[in-house]
């Protein structure tokens, strides 16, 4: 069985994982998040420089934790896109160097396929057919997925504007909560009332596309509400705003995800990506899936946000599917949509 080393550098996390036959052997993660806090978002150049200095130590740490040496590694997988161009280039160049030095095949991997594959590390092989809701900082999509390593991924819907995670990050800024916004809002919402403010549920009207997503209007609704509060001289009830906003997002995401399962006649729903770490998204999805008799799979929180294990997991699926390795001419694809798990 081949041990695959996976490298992830699409945003601010330098992630490395080692996977063999669906089993995570070890992983390590370095993050430049603290360096971005004062800018309120990821600064690509800072992220890229941090990847350059963190990459080799993170690879070494993951290998040490897995108890493997260079001779044990049979393939290298790397996020080739989408993501920040400067950040992606660091991982792609490093992966080529390792693959060349160790004389093993290289697999370019789509970052979002990684989010989906992460769940297989926890819950075993992905179902033959499933609906996957990907909710991250840059993407919000409902996908019909078969064999992730072999089949094309069908997009049932993609957000028409902001991604769910982006909305969390922007609303956190409006509320003066620190970056990254998702965890800050999740925390603030614990002390708030989710029914305090009736924020809109985007694209849920009778004339709207039933699986469509849009989060820009919801973010604006929160901004207007906060502005009105401030102009009236009232203190902003941050926990209530956070809880009510979070409820609107969780309600919309989970309702549409379950509807997609019904429309696709699929009994398995997988929710992945950074926003799948949200406590309310998790609890509401669990309740609604149970009510609908749908089997729900959500990776543990540490595998929801970006990491290297998920990229190794895709590499492992590709190796086992006997996919042709990616040529060493592969480069970064900052905006590539997810149609296949492998990128060349
Ligand atoms: O998947 P991810 O780590 O990176 C991308 O591929 O984008 O997702 C990052 C996003 C950020 O927008 C972050 O605010 C959000 O996931 N996020 C959360 C939570 N943890 C991370 N959103 C809501 N609740 C959370 N607990
Ligand atoms: Zn991600």
């Amino acid at each position: 069985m081949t041990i695959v080393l996976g490298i992830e550098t699409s945003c601010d996390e330098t992630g490395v994982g080692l996977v063999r036959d669906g089993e995570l052997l070890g992983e390590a993660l370095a993050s430049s998040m603290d360096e971005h806090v004062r800018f309120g978002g990821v600064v690509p150049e800072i992220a890229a420089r941090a990847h350059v200095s963190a990459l080799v130590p993170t690879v070494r740490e993951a290998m040490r934790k897995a108890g493997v040496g260079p001779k044990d590694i049979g393939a290298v997988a790397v996020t080739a896109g989408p993501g920040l161009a400067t950040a992606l280039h660091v991982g792609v160049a490093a992966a080529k160097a390792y693959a060349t030095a160790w004389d093993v095949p290289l697999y370019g991997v789509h970052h979002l396929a990684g989010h989906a594959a992460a769940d297989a590390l926890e819950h075993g092989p992905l179902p033959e057919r499933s609906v996957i809701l990907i909710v991250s900082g840059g993407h919000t999509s409902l996908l019909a997925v078969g064999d992730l390593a072999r089949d094309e991924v069908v997009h049932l819907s993609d957000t028409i504007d902001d991604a769910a995670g982006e909305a969390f990050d922007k609303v956190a800024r409006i509320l003066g909560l620190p970056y990254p916004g998702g965890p800050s809002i999740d925390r603030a919402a614990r002390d708030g009332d989710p029914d305090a403010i009736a924020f809109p549920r985007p694209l849920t009207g009778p004339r709207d596309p039933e699986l469509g997503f849009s989060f820009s209007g919801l973010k604006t609704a929160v901004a207007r509400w906060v502005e009105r509060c401030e102009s009236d001289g009232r203190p902003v009830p941050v926990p209530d705003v956070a809880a009510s906003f979070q409820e609107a997002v969780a309600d919309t995401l989970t309702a549409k995800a379950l509807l997609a399962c019904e429309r696709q006649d699929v009994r398995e729903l997988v929710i992945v990506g950074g926003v799948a770490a949200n406590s309310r998204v998790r609890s509401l999805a669990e309740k609604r899936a149970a009510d609908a008799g749908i089997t729900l799979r959500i990776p543990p929180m540490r595998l929801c946000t970006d990491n290297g294990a998920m990229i190794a997991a895709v590499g492992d699926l590709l190796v086992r599917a006997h996919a042709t390795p990616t040529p060493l001419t592969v480069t970064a694809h900052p905006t590539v949509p997810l149609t296949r798990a492998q990128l060349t």
Side-chain angles (χ1 to χ4, degrees), residues 107-133:
Y107 294 89
V109 164
H110 197 290
H111 177 79
L112 297 180
H115 276 300
D119 187 65
L121 296 174
E122 184 72 15
H123 297 121
L126 289 169
E128 259 173 50
R129 285 179 69 226
S130 61
V131 165
I132 302 191
L133 170 66

Side-chain angles (χ1 to χ4, degrees), residues 10 111-112 115 136 306 310:
S10 69
H111 177 79
L112 297 180
H115 276 300
S136 70
D306 291 348
M310 69 187 204

Side-chain angles (χ1 to χ4, degrees), residues 10-11 13 111-112 115 135-139 164-166 168-169 179-184 186 246 273-279 301 304-306 310:
S10 69
C11 194
E13 330 270 13
H111 177 79
L112 297 180
H115 276 300
V135 270
S136 70
H139 297 86
E166 197 177 345
F168 269 97
D169 295 333
Y179 174 86
S184 302
D186 208 338
Q246 178 171 277
V275 181
N278 182 265
S279 60
M301 300 221 324
C304 284
T305 45
D306 291 348
M310 69 187 204

Side-chain angles (χ1 to χ4, degrees), residues 39-263:
F39 301 102
V42 177
V43 182
E45 196 52 39
I46 293 176
R49 290 169 67 95
H51 288 309
V52 169
S53 55
L55 211 136
V56 171
T58 309
V59 167
R60 289 199 171 137
E61 189 189 342
M63 287 170 64
R64 186 184 52 74
K65 285 185 179 164
V68 302
K71 289 195 176 61
D72 303 316
I73 291 165
V76 175
V78 62
T79 304
L84 304 170
T86 53
L88 288 166
H89 281 300
V90 179
V92 169
K96 287 182 189 183
Y98 281 116
T100 306
W102 296 336
D103 194 22
V104 296
L106 175 73
Y107 294 89
V109 164
H110 197 290
H111 177 79
L112 297 180
H115 276 300
D119 187 65
L121 296 174
E122 184 72 15
H123 297 121
L126 289 169
E128 259 173 50
R129 285 179 69 226
S130 61
V131 165
I132 302 191
L133 170 66
I134 293 198
V135 270
S136 70
H139 297 86
T140 301
S141 305
L142 271 167
L143 310 169
V145 177
D147 181 334
L148 191 62
R150 293 185 173 91
D151 300 341
E152 257 194 46
V153 172
V154 176
H155 286 241
L156 305 172
S157 79
D158 299 288
T159 180
I160 56 169
D161 43 52
D162 292 357
E166 197 177 345
F168 269 97
D169 295 333
K170 288 178 177 170
V171 166
R173 271 180 99 146
I174 293 167
L175 293 175
L177 298 171
Y179 174 86
S184 302
I185 289 192
D186 208 338
R187 240 174 284 122
R190 279 186 215 150
D191 305 320
D193 174 5
D195 299 320
I197 308 150
F199 287 128
R201 273 46 175 171
L203 296 185
T204 51
R207 281 163 214 264
D208 292 326
E210 61 177 14
L211 299 180
F213 292 117
S214 160
F215 292 102
S216 167
L218 173 58
K219 168 205 67 194
T220 307
V222 176
R224 294 286 164 277
W225 197 93
V226 169
E227 275 165 25
R228 269 199 308 278
C229 202
E230 283 168 342
S231 67
D232 293 349
R234 288 180 288 130
V236 178
V238 172
D240 283 349
V241 178
S244 301
F245 161 75
Q246 178 171 277
E247 190 66 20
V249 177
D251 183 15
T252 312
L253 289 176
T254 55
K256 292 189 184 239
L258 284 156
L259 184 61
C261 292
E262 193 183 320
R263 294 288 184 259

